Amino acid sequence: MKAESTPSRRRFLKDLGYISIGFSLFSSCLRTEDQIIAERIPYNGDLPGSLKREININAWIKILENGRVQVLSGKVELGQGIRTAIRQVAAEELDMNIENVDVLLAETGVTPNEGYTGASASIQNSAMSVRYAAATARIELLELASKKLGVTIEELQLYNGRVTQKGTNKVLTYSDILEGVQFEKEVAIPIQLKKKTDYRYVGKAIPRTDIEKMVKGEVTYIHDLRFPEMVHARVIRPAGYDSKLLQIDTSGLKEAVSGVLKTVVNGSFVAVITEREYQAVKAERFLKNNTKWSSATPLPESENQFEHIKKIANPPENIRNDGDFDNVTKSVKTIKSRYNKPYIMHGSMGPACGIAMYDGEILHIWSHSQGIYPLRDAIASMLNMEVEKIHIKSAPGAGCYGHSTADDAATDAALLAFEYPKKHIRVQWSRNDDQKWDPYGPAIITEFEASLDEKGKINSWKSDVWTDSHSTRPNKDTGTILAARYLEKPFHMKSRGYLAGGHRNADPYYNIPNMQLNAHYYEGPLRVSSLRSLGSFANIFAVESFMDELAEKAGKDPLNFRLEHTDDQRAIAVITKIQTLTESQTTIENEGIGYGFMRYKNTDAYAAVAAKVAINSDNGVVSVIKLWAAIDVGEVINLDGIINQIEGGMIQATSWTLKEQVTFNASEITSTDWNTYPILRYSEIPEVEVAIIDRPNEPVYGAGEVPMPPTSAAIANAVFKASGKRVYDLPIKTLTQNQN
Amino acid sequence: MPKYTLNINTSQKTVETEPDTPLLYVLRDYLELSGPKFGCGLSQCGACTVLIDGSSRTSCMLPVSNIGQAEITTLEGLENPSGKLHAVQEAIIKEQAAQCGYCLNGMVMAAVSLLNKNPNPDEREIKNALEMNLCRCGAHTRIIRAIKIAANTKD
């Protein structure tokens, strides 16, 4: 999307709303700064995809007239602290005090189009684009200053927002240098990057500034945005996925609920607009009792879901075939296991919210979507509007951990903005709808067959994965957004979405001469999309459980068994580190320690996790006492940001592993609130300890999804150590249900 | 529509609303306070917690007509008039005890309520006091650490 290109980007500084301070020569002498200018080293490597699409510096970096640097990123804040990481790399390359750097996140027409914020890719793409753009901006400022002052670049130094001519009192600010316009230069290699050993900010635990705002109750989330004369709305969702509205009786609504402004019925899309928020809640309740819907196609019932999946799956597709598994295993005894992971939900603490206002020309939308540009495409297509007439601004929601219901709430608000123009319409989803209509992380079956050689090493391994799609995120395929499916002229999803995420990490990252991976895609009964780490969560739970089964058969220590199957030094380093972290641990009866290893996507970050569990001998309840992680995400940008993500991820993964499962019967989804979909509570929270192996000279990888998969395997393996019982089905719940 | 005069963050506020409007909606929608959050509306998650006469309580199912002159404190009311934050708020910032932060309101209010009654809680007592407050990001261990630090802060 390059619709808003150079002319709008090349805005004059004063358009950004700051007072001109004009050309000036400061007379301060900066001798102390002379000594701390870092060395630069040319970078000749690849540029990230985001940067290739938006190659001008001014797409990423703007200089404000008050001297502050404004960084633009197309990513959104999800509680992962991306804003701080981006600030760090920009301040670093521009040798700027971090306090003078602001970050503006996703807004159509303003920030670069960076697609979705997901796949732990924001640091690789957005932060690295900003790094290269900022470094290029620095050289450009020096070159322009050298022309202006008639001296060579070597005679200049750039620091904290000013360029100084060494040994003189001549100082130029950035706005002096740029003479009131923004950068007009493309980023190109070689790029002079700061030497990593001279970093001031990158790699350090720079605190986030948004936590203070949150803890003081300042306006932070989309839920907190208020506009003059804003009105409220709720949508009355159908009885089931493919139910149709048969009858609606609105008589008596205005008598029963005050403040009702409008009831909207478009096909099977039913909504009500009110003056006050709680009036919308009451009106929704009234209309729920006064609508009739056709019954939906029966669901298979959650107890039978895995048999159902096998029945409806397509024939397998071969994804990988190293060596010759089929031939090698003809004459040897193989070991087989099967693991099941149910549907689980995003379960955001804040149900989705969307705000929209149609001013007669432009449709303005506020959303906590993870991809405002692709959402704009979907809404434009639904409303048959030009994309330029839709303006979407991202605002943080509660943590979502993947594609949840944010886009759907924005779509609801967009539809209603046309029904009730010139007013801001705020749509707040209920807890029940947020859980019932969530695009869940799909149920997955992972089956293995493997053989050991005479030395007890793995000679052959076959993985078969049954999986649904792992991304049905909004895009030009209008049926990706929920409300579009229920309009009088409905849109149905044309594509199956992103399937390959389903077999992610199902082929182990170990040296195995004969390895085969087959994917059995199915189109399941429930709405599904991306959930933190996609298929890796189920697959690594399975792979690393099976590794322990094979180690047991080979009569080897689980960690040493893993070390025998890799010569990747970074894999060895995290496994050895987790060994060291846990070596002094002792266990009593009914306690056990287990391990899980993963290289995420088999190409990115390395993680080893250990879990210590205890099993209550009376009721079989499994509790996790402590979790350790040894993590290598390459170059560390924000140390505390990574530790925080890993700690939190291990706790969330513990919740998924011990407790979570979307339940449903023939007529409906029954996990509709926190009582029917319990998650981990304080009394169940394990202690967590994280060790980060910093590799400043390696490429940077995202951390957000990394702790999820190995945590589940570590817990399951610890349960085996504690009880002798192997976990084949998630969630573990109580051991009596998992006896095999 | 009836009028209710409420005692919120030490000042008197009057709202005109239906008697069944829950306190949470009065605080957020009428009084434009952003501290208490809507999380479930079912009193299951704790995101909407406020202090009523110093004790933590969820506000999402509490009708405005039942409140009377009880003293209500929201997150915004914890800051003292000179702008100093409560020790729990300070400790959460210092420990960076949040990811998305949506649950923080409830965590802070439950912790303040605990410290009002028990200035030196141990870890088990902290966990008990926060048991009804859910967090999805897994910030629990940092929040526990922050509450311990707050308890040890002598003003």
Side-chain angles (χ1 to χ4, degrees), chain A residues 208 221 258 644 660 683, chain B residues 18 96 99-100 131 136 142:
Chain A
R208 286 165 54 180
Y221 307 92
S258 48
N644 200 358
E660 297 187 30
S683 57
Chain B
E18 297 90 334
Q96 296 279 292
Q99 284 184 41
C100 86
E131 185 70 358
R136 188 57 162 162
R142 285 181 179 228

Side-chain angles (χ1 to χ4, degrees), chain A residues 613-635:
Chain A
V613 308
I615 293 154
N616 184 319
S617 52
D618 295 333
N619 56 17
V621 169
V622 175
S623 49
V624 179
I625 301 164
K626 182 162 181 179
L627 295 164
W628 296 260
I631 304 288
D632 168 1
V633 293
E635 182 191 0

Side-chain angles (χ1 to χ4, degrees), chain A residues 77-80 206-212 214-221 223-226 230 232 234 257-259 275-279 281-282 285 345-351 397-399 401 426 428-432 532 640-641 643-649 651-652 655-656 660 672-677 679-688, chain B residues 1 16-22 24-47 60-61 75-79 83 85-86 88-105 107-108 123-124 126-145 147:
Chain A
E77 183 62 69
L78 308 169
Q80 83 283 42
I206 304 292
R208 286 165 54 180
T209 52
D210 51 353
I211 294 177
E212 180 171 351
M214 293 167 179
V215 90
K216 287 162 87 171
E218 289 179 13
V219 170
T220 303
Y221 307 92
H223 308 78
D224 304 332
L225 298 180
R226 297 179 184 91
M230 181 169 82
H232 298 268
R234 283 230 172 168
V257 181
S258 48
E275 287 169 14
R276 289 292 184 179
E277 186 178 357
Y278 194 64
Q279 293 165 345
V281 176
K282 289 200 284 183
R285 209 178 292 150
M345 71 171 66
H346 295 87
S348 176
M349 290 310 302
Y401 328 101
R426 179 183 184 275
Q428 170 67 66
W429 276 38
S430 67
R431 165 63 41 201
N432 290 354
R532 197 174 186 177
D640 191 56
I643 294 172
N644 200 358
Q645 289 269 294
I646 303 297
E647 289 175 351
I651 290 171
Q652 190 179 72
S655 185
W656 290 2
E660 297 187 30
T672 55
D673 60 21
W674 294 124
N675 290 341
T676 49
Y677 190 84
I679 63 171
L680 213 62
R681 287 185 181 271
Y682 268 96
S683 57
E684 303 160 310
I685 297 298
E687 200 185 326
V688 287
Chain B
M1 220 173 281
E16 198 174 331
T17 186
E18 297 90 334
D20 60 349
T21 306
L24 175 67
Y25 293 85
V26 170
L27 297 173
R28 288 190 60 87
D29 190 16
Y30 290 75
L31 301 176
E32 304 200 344
L33 293 168
S34 299
K37 299 287 186 290
F38 170 71
C40 64
L42 305 164
S43 196
Q44 292 177 355
C45 75
C60 66
M61 294 180 81
L75 197 56
E76 291 87 345
L78 292 180
E79 201 172 326
L85 297 179
H86 191 281
V88 172
Q89 291 169 301
E90 295 279 7
I92 284 186
I93 298 167
K94 190 171 157 288
E95 291 303 306
Q96 296 279 292
Q99 284 184 41
C100 86
Y102 200 83
C103 70
L104 267 188
N105 168 71
M107 300 297 174
V108 171
E123 178 148 335
R124 195 183 49 81
I126 294 172
K127 284 182 165 182
N128 277 345
L130 272 65
E131 185 70 358
M132 295 315 289
N133 290 82
L134 294 175
C135 165
R136 188 57 162 162
C137 298
H140 308 74
T141 53
R142 285 181 179 228
I143 292 169
I144 293 169
R145 197 160 70 219
I147 296 170

Side-chain angles (χ1 to χ4, degrees), chain A residues 500-732:
Chain A
H503 56 73
R504 182 177 286 176
N505 281 115
D507 45 340
Y509 189 71
Y510 295 113
N511 296 334
I512 298 168
N514 303 289
M515 199 195 296
Q516 194 183 102
L517 167 62
N518 305 307
H520 308 242
Y521 299 124
Y522 71 87
E523 195 167 355
L526 304 191
R527 185 183 187 210
V528 292
S529 196
S530 311
L531 176 62
R532 197 174 186 177
S533 82
L534 311 190
S536 296
F537 177 72
N539 294 329
I540 286 290
F541 154 67
V543 164
E544 290 294 296
S545 294
F546 196 53
M547 281 299 282
D548 264 31
E549 290 195 75
L550 295 175
E552 179 90 5
K553 285 269 191 296
K556 291 177 180 175
D557 167 78
L559 285 181
N560 290 337
F561 185 67
R562 285 166 174 80
L563 290 169
E564 276 180 25
H565 288 89
T566 182
D567 47 18
D568 181 331
Q569 291 307 312
R570 295 173 70 179
I572 293 167
V574 292
I575 294 172
T576 312
K577 183 73 191 173
I578 208 77
Q579 217 160 16
T580 315
L581 284 173
T582 52
E583 67 192 355
S584 63
Q585 288 293 315
T586 53
T587 51
I588 55 171
E589 203 189 342
N590 295 321
E591 285 185 354
I593 296 176
Y595 301 91
F597 162 81
M598 172 194 70
R599 182 170 192 197
Y600 188 45
K601 304 179 189 174
N602 285 346
T603 53
D604 286 12
Y606 297 81
V609 171
K612 183 176 185 176
V613 308
I615 293 154
N616 184 319
S617 52
D618 295 333
N619 56 17
V621 169
V622 175
S623 49
V624 179
I625 301 164
K626 182 162 181 179
L627 295 164
W628 296 260
I631 304 288
D632 168 1
V633 293
E635 182 191 0
V636 169
I637 304 293
N638 190 317
L639 182 62
D640 191 56
I642 295 169
I643 294 172
N644 200 358
Q645 289 269 294
I646 303 297
E647 289 175 351
M650 289 199 290
I651 290 171
Q652 190 179 72
T654 303
S655 185
W656 290 2
T657 304
L658 294 183
K659 304 183 84 100
E660 297 187 30
Q661 173 175 28
V662 176
T663 55
F664 43 96
N665 58 35
S667 56
E668 61 184 354
I669 286 153
T670 49
S671 297
T672 55
D673 60 21
W674 294 124
N675 290 341
T676 49
Y677 190 84
I679 63 171
L680 213 62
R681 287 185 181 271
Y682 268 96
S683 57
E684 303 160 310
I685 297 298
E687 200 185 326
V688 287
E689 184 178 334
V690 177
I692 305 291
I693 300 173
D694 188 9
R695 299 196 183 268
N697 296 311
E698 295 290 343
V700 47
Y701 298 123
E705 297 170 296
V706 172
M708 311 311 287
T711 299
S712 65
I715 294 171
N717 288 333
V719 165
F720 181 78
K721 292 285 179 193
S723 66
K725 286 172 190 160
R726 176 56 52 196
V727 175
Y728 292 102
D729 297 278
L730 292 181
I732 298 175

